[in-house]
């Protein structure tokens, strides 16, 4: 397989068990139902990338710049798919997430710096997502936003702690369907498809500060550190839950099949993520930008602005999508934080464990969610704080991606399954793109 170091033992057609030789199983015919069932960490990771704050970023991009910014989704797709596949491979091969591998192979100060920044950025992100969900609910049914903040936060964290793992993952997979709200919203938008296609396939560059800032914001939204931590940890978690699986570095049999599953899962998840993001950009471009309304700052403002242009139903669809995506994204943000902290301390971790078996892990998860709720009760504006969260995420992404790429090539970490070939170079290209965006953001502050 491309992107994986070749070893003859990994591809034998016969395998020995207790001295006996048994023929390899014949591959099963393709089944769409089985394929959908096999989707998991990659699909949930991709869908959670379109969280309420991300919806605000895409809405703002479409409102300000119209269809001409659509090409960024085509550009970011292979980059985010590559880095997420590498993250998943590290988790599946080693049986540990990113923090677990960093603490075993790199200096402690590197680990603590990464985990501290991740905790801070994710907690602020949770606060902003809760605020967006509350604003969207208030827009639809009235009431007090702060009540909805507490309600959504408690529901999300409680479900993670007390629901059975397999049932909870199934709930998250069903929640990905809420993103189709943004495909439905296109029906009300009267998209100029010729312009939309041109904006997607032909980059229309502008060297204005607003344009460059928007590109940085989009890259920072689509390639976020919490996604790396979550997908790697979920691959390790799925392996721990399944009695038939062991870390591939210990049990080589089935590696090709596992890597094929990871690639398919990741590509579907990231394609789904970018399709939804493109739908949001097109909807905002066809309605808000076309009407000259370019002062959109949040996802709730985008939903509200749709009413006079595309009707009340479009507003409802857009707002309900914000709530659905928030219920999907908050568990991923809090979960990624808990995995990162727990693995860094080598605690028992995992959503499949009972609360009493992983008290510290669930304590961090609840703490991150609790701080996210609490920020909405302070004078700090969570939406404004999201800007600094994006800055932290952007700065954090670069060293984490460098660490990830070094890990993926480290034989002590990956054994015979070091990453190579096109996947390896796409991973470095993604890292370079993120580094350039952070540099551009820094230059923008002083120009």
């Amino acid at each position: 397989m491309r992107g994986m170091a070749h070893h003859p033992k990994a591809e034998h057609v016969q395998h020995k068990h207790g001295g006996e030789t048994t023929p390899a199983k014949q591959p099963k015919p393709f089944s769409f139902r089985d394929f959908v069932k096999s989707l998991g960490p990659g699909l949930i990771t991709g869908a959670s990338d379109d969280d309420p704050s991300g919806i605000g970023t895409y809405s703002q991009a479409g409102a300000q710049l119209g269809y001409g910014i659509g090409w960024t989704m085509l550009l970011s797709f292979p980059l985010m798919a590559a880095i997420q596949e590498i993250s998943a491979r590290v988790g599946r091969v080693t049986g540990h997430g990113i923090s677990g591998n960093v603490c075993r192979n790199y200096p402690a100060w590197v680990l603590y710096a990464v985990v501290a920044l991740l905790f801070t950025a994710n907690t602020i992100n949770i606060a902003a997502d809760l605020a967006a969900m509350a604003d969207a609910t208030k827009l639809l049914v009235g009431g007090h936003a702060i009540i909805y903040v507490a309600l959504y936060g408690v529901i999300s964290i409680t479900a993670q702690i007390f629901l059975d793992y397999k049932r909870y993952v199934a709930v998250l997979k069903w929640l990905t369907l809420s993103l189709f709200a943004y495909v439905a919203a296109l029906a009300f938008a009267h998209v100029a498809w010729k312009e939309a296609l041109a904006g997607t396939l032909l980059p229309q560059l502008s060297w204005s500060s607003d344009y460059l800032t928007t590109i940085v914001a989009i890259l920072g939204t689509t390639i976020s550190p919490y996604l790396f931590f979550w997908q790697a940890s979920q691959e390790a978690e799925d392996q721990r839950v399944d009695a038939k699986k062991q870390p591939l570095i210990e049990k080589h049999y089935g590696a090709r099949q596992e890597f094929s599953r990871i690639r398919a899962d990741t590509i579907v998840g990231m394609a789904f993520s970018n399709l939804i993001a493109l739908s949001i950009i097109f909807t905002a471009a066809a309605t808000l930008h076309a009407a000259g309304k370019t002062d959109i700052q949040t996802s709730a403002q985008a939903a509200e602005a749709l009413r006079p242009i595309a009707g009340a139903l479009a507003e409802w669809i857009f707002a309900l999508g914000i709530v659905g995506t928030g219920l999907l994204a908050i568990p991923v943000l809090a979960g990624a934080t808990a995995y990162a902290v727990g693995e860094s301390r080598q605690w028992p971790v995992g959503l499949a464990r009972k609360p009493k078996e992983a008290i510290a892990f669930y304590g961090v998860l609840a703490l991150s969610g609790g701080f996210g709720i609490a920020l909405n009760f302070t004078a700090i504006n969570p939406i404004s704080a999201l800007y600094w969260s994006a800055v932290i995420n952007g700065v954090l992404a670069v060293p984490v991606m460098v660490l990830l790429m070094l890990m993926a090539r480290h034989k002590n970490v990956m054994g015979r399954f070091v990453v190579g070939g096109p996947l390896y170079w796409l991973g470095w290209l993604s890292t370079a793109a993120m580094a350039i965006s952070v540099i551009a953001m820094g230059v923008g502050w002083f120009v």
Side-chain angles (χ1 to χ4, degrees):
M1 180 173 181
R2 291 162 66 186
M4 185 186 80
H6 177 80
H7 193 286
K9 290 184 180 178
E11 301 180 15
H12 269 183
V13 295
Q14 293 188 331
H15 306 276
K16 293 185 178 180
H17 301 280
E20 296 181 7
T21 302
T22 57
K25 293 181 180 179
Q26 293 298 317
K28 291 170 63 177
F30 177 79
S31 164
F32 181 74
R33 183 178 179 182
D34 289 344
F35 174 71
V36 172
K37 286 175 69 175
S38 73
L39 298 177
L43 176 64
I44 293 169
T45 302
S48 67
D49 194 24
D50 295 323
D51 67 332
S53 55
I55 293 165
T57 299
Y58 301 133
S59 299
Q60 188 178 33
Q64 288 183 349
L65 301 170
Y67 299 116
I69 199 67
W71 64 272
T72 55
M73 292 297 101
L74 205 61
L75 171 70
S76 65
F77 170 63
L79 302 182
M80 66 190 294
I83 205 71
Q84 289 302 143
E85 182 180 337
I86 291 169
S87 301
R89 284 193 182 207
V90 168
R92 183 65 188 89
V93 168
T94 65
H96 303 291
I98 291 174
S99 281
N101 280 296
V102 172
C103 79
R104 287 167 173 80
N105 296 282
Y106 296 94
W109 68 266
V110 174
L111 176 68
Y112 295 142
V114 166
V115 170
L117 286 171
L118 185 76
F119 185 96
T120 303
N122 285 5
T123 300
I124 294 172
N125 220 127
I126 289 171
D129 283 352
L130 286 171
M133 294 162 70
D135 286 344
T137 306
K138 182 181 177 182
L139 186 67
L140 298 178
V141 299
H144 297 284
I146 204 69
I147 295 175
Y148 300 131
V149 165
L151 180 66
Y152 288 134
V154 170
I155 288 173
S156 298
I157 300 304
T158 302
Q160 269 187 297
I161 295 173
F162 294 106
L163 272 186
D164 174 75
Y165 176 71
K166 289 184 178 179
R167 186 174 299 174
Y168 186 64
V169 168
V171 169
L172 292 182
K173 286 174 76 170
W174 278 107
L175 277 173
T176 63
L177 296 176
S178 65
L179 288 169
F180 281 107
Y182 298 106
V183 178
L186 284 174
F188 301 89
H190 304 294
V191 176
W193 289 107
K194 187 175 180 181
E195 291 181 40
L197 188 63
T200 304
L201 299 178
L202 302 172
Q204 301 171 27
L205 299 176
S206 169
W207 298 109
S208 68
S209 60
D210 285 347
Y211 191 88
L212 292 173
T213 300
T214 301
I215 291 177
V216 171
I218 288 173
L219 279 176
T221 299
T222 54
I223 305 175
S224 298
Y226 76 89
L227 301 176
F228 317 152
F229 283 85
W230 172 262
Q231 190 164 353
S233 295
Q234 281 299 285
E235 283 294 338
E237 180 84 351
D238 284 354
Q239 167 257 303
R240 283 195 295 269
V241 170
D242 192 338
K244 299 176 184 176
K245 290 184 177 180
Q246 294 178 23
L248 292 176
I249 200 167
E250 298 173 8
K251 183 183 178 183
H252 309 314
Y253 174 57
R256 177 178 287 276
Q257 184 179 355
E258 283 295 283
F259 289 152
S260 295
R261 174 192 59 78
I262 286 171
R263 176 163 294 178
D265 186 23
T266 303
I267 288 174
V268 169
M270 299 310 120
F272 183 46
S273 172
N274 280 28
L275 173 65
I276 300 305
L278 205 54
S279 297
I280 296 168
I281 290 172
F282 286 174
T283 299
T287 53
L288 307 179
H289 183 77
K293 191 167 184 60
T294 60
D295 57 340
I296 298 299
Q297 299 298 320
T298 69
S299 50
Q301 283 181 14
E304 188 173 21
L306 283 176
R307 176 185 283 269
I309 301 169
L313 186 57
E315 177 192 34
W316 267 80
I317 290 172
F318 208 89
L320 286 173
I322 293 168
V323 175
T325 58
L327 289 172
L328 175 65
I330 288 170
V332 173
L333 284 158
T337 303
Y339 277 115
V341 174
E343 289 177 347
S344 73
R345 304 298 299 166
Q346 298 192 36
W347 296 333
V349 300
L351 296 172
R353 298 182 190 272
K354 301 293 183 185
K356 64 181 179 181
E357 297 171 351
I359 294 173
F361 168 78
Y362 284 114
V364 172
L365 193 152
L367 193 65
S368 182
F371 279 160
I373 295 171
L375 278 176
N376 283 278
F377 286 84
T378 67
I380 299 171
N381 183 333
I383 303 302
S384 299
L386 187 64
Y387 172 78
W388 293 106
S389 170
V391 171
I392 294 171
N393 267 323
V395 172
L396 176 61
V398 178
V400 170
M401 291 167 81
V402 169
L403 270 175
L404 187 60
M405 294 308 300
L406 294 175
M407 243 187 271
R409 199 69 171 171
H410 200 313
K411 286 195 174 183
N412 288 346
V413 177
M414 299 290 284
R416 69 175 68 184
F417 299 114
V418 291
V419 175
L423 178 62
Y424 178 70
W425 294 112
L426 259 180
W428 275 116
L429 185 61
S430 181
T431 305
M434 201 66 221
I436 290 169
S437 74
V438 171
I439 293 169
M441 181 171 61
V443 169
W445 290 348
F446 300 103
V447 174

